[in-house]
C-alpha cells in the first residue's frame, strides 16, 4: 500500500472533544483538543531502526508552515486519500459507503467537516547520518543538508505520545520520508518531508556533539533485546550515544 501522511498520522489518531470540535482547535468552553494515537510500540532502538527509513542527527531550524492535514487525494482535494490499484479488492471493486458521516474536523481542514490533524513543519539541518534504509536512498544516499521535518502541532492538539520540536534544538530523528505525491493533504510543502516514526518514539534529544542521546519516549528502553544490553531504569528515560545508535544501525543494515 502506498504510504501517505494521512495514513501514517491522521489514520492513527482518535480526536476526542470535551465540547464542540467544529468551531476550531478548542471547544466552545476554551478546552483544548485532546487525542490518542494508536502508534506501534518500539521498545528498542533496533526495532525503531527497522521500522524507519532513515535516522539523522539534525538541528531544528525555523518554522516553515502550519497546516491541518485532512488527507487529500490525488487531485489535491481534501478528504480521504484516493485509493490506488494496490488498495482495491478484486472481489469488491465498489466498497460500501461509510455508515456514519465523518466527524467534524479541526479548523483549517481543506474540506467541509474534514477530519484533519494539525501539523507544524520545520526546516532542519542534517548533521550526522545514523541510518539509511534502501527506501530512503532510492538507490542513492540522501546528502547531508536541509530537510523538512513535520510534527504534530501540539499548540493545537494535546496528543498522547507527541511533544513539540523547538527551533535551535538538536535531536535525532528516526523517520519516514514522504514525497509530495504521498502527502496530498499538505498544500504548504511542495517537497519531500520527514515525520518521526511512532511520534515521540522516533525523537531523541541530544546536543551538538551527540555526546548524550536521550529517548524522548519512555517506550524505548534499550538498544536491543539482548539481555546484556544497556537498559533504562524504571525512573529514567533511556540514554545512549550517537556511536551506539550507529552500531545498531550497522547491524540492521548487515542483517
Amino acid at each position: 500500500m502506498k504510504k501517505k501522511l494521512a495514513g501514517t498520522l491522521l489514520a492513527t489518531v482518535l480526536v476526542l472533544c470535551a465540547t464542540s470540535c467544529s468551531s476550531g482547535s478548542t471547544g466552545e468552553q476554551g478546552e483544548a483538543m485532546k487525542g490518542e494515537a494508536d502508534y506501534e510500540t518500539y521498545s528498542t532502538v533496533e526495532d525503531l531502526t527497522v521500522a524507519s527509513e532513515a535516522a539523522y542527527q539534525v538541528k531544528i531550524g525555523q518554522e516553515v508552515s502550519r497546516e491541518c492535514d485532512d488527507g487529500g487525494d490525488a487531485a489535491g482535494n481534501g478528504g480521504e486519500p484516493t485509493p490506488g490499484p494496490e488498495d482495491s479488492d478484486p472481489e469488491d471493486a465498489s466498497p460500501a459507503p461509510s455508515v456514519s458521516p465523518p466527524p467534524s474536523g479541526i479548523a483549517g481542514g481543506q474540506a467541509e467537516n474534514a477530519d484533519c490533524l494539525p501539523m507544524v513543519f520545520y526546516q532542519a539541518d542534517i548533521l550526522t547520518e545514523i541510518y539509511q534504509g534502501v527506501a530512503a536512498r532510492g538507490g542513492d544516499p540522501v546528502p547531508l543538508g536541509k530537510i523538512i521535518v513535520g510534527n504534530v502541532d501540539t499548540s493545537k492538539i494535546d496528543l498522547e505520545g507527541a511533544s513539540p520540536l523547538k527551533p535551535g534544538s538538536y535531536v535525532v530523528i528516526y523517520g519516514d520520508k514522504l514525497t509530495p505525491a504521498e502527502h496530498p493533504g499538505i498544500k504548504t510543502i511542495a517537497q519531500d518531508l520527514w515525520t518521526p516514526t511512532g511520534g515521540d518514539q522516533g525523537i531523541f534529544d541530544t546536543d551538538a556533539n551527540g555526546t548524550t542521546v536521550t529517548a524522548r519516549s519512555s517506550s524505548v528502553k534499550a538498544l536491543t533485546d539482548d539481555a546484556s544490553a544497556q537498559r533504562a531504569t524504571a525512573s529514567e528515560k533511556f540514554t545512549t550515544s550517537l556511536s551506539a545508535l550507529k552500531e545498531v544501525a550497522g547491524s540492521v543494515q548487515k542483517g
Side-chain angles (χ1 to χ4, degrees):
M1 180 182 295
K2 193 172 182 63
K3 63 183 178 181
K4 285 186 170 64
L5 182 59
T8 57
L9 289 174
L10 181 59
T12 66
V13 177
L14 301 173
V15 177
L16 309 177
C17 304
T19 55
S20 173
C21 301
S22 60
S23 60
S25 62
T26 58
E28 293 177 350
Q29 305 301 319
E31 298 177 32
M33 295 286 296
K34 294 184 181 295
E36 296 179 357
D38 187 21
Y39 293 125
E40 190 78 27
T41 299
Y42 305 102
S43 60
T44 69
V45 170
E46 182 177 27
D47 290 341
L48 191 59
T49 302
V50 171
S52 302
E53 289 189 41
Y56 305 107
Q57 179 201 23
V58 304
K59 181 179 181 180
I60 302 297
Q62 66 182 8
E63 179 183 316
V64 177
S65 66
R66 291 175 186 256
E67 188 171 348
C68 202
D69 176 35
D70 62 4
D73 61 20
N77 301 312
E80 288 298 312
T82 301
E86 69 274 22
D87 298 318
S88 62
D89 184 344
E91 296 183 1
D92 185 10
S94 301
S98 175
V99 175
S100 59
S104 297
I106 302 168
Q110 297 295 320
E112 184 178 1
N113 292 327
D115 189 12
C116 65
L117 178 64
M119 297 288 296
V120 57
F121 303 95
Y122 297 96
Q123 190 174 79
D125 289 300
I126 298 177
L127 304 180
T128 305
E129 175 191 318
I130 296 168
Y131 169 75
Q132 278 198 40
V134 174
R137 294 196 305 268
D140 298 308
V142 176
L144 298 184
K146 296 185 183 298
I147 58 174
I148 299 296
V149 175
N151 196 35
V152 174
D153 186 351
T154 56
S155 71
K156 297 289 177 61
I157 182 170
D158 179 8
L159 184 64
E160 181 183 12
S163 58
L165 295 172
K166 296 181 179 180
S169 65
Y170 296 89
V171 296
V172 170
I173 297 258
Y174 284 80
D176 294 314
K177 181 180 73 173
L178 296 104
T179 66
E182 293 166 340
H183 58 78
I186 297 298
K187 310 299 187 294
T188 57
I189 305 296
Q191 64 191 82
D192 295 347
L193 64 86
W194 290 82
T195 58
T197 302
D200 276 357
Q201 295 175 94
I203 302 175
F204 291 68
D205 294 301
T206 185
D207 53 23
N209 297 323
T211 306
T212 302
V213 180
T214 303
R216 188 170 287 191
S217 171
S218 58
S219 296
V220 181
K221 302 182 184 301
L223 288 172
T224 69
D225 282 327
D226 191 314
S228 62
Q230 174 192 355
R231 307 190 74 82
T233 65
S235 60
E236 297 180 350
K237 291 184 177 178
F238 178 66
T239 299
T240 185
S241 64
L242 279 184
S243 59
L245 298 182
K246 290 180 180 180
E247 286 182 15
V248 173
S251 65
V252 169
Q253 288 168 324
K254 290 178 181 178

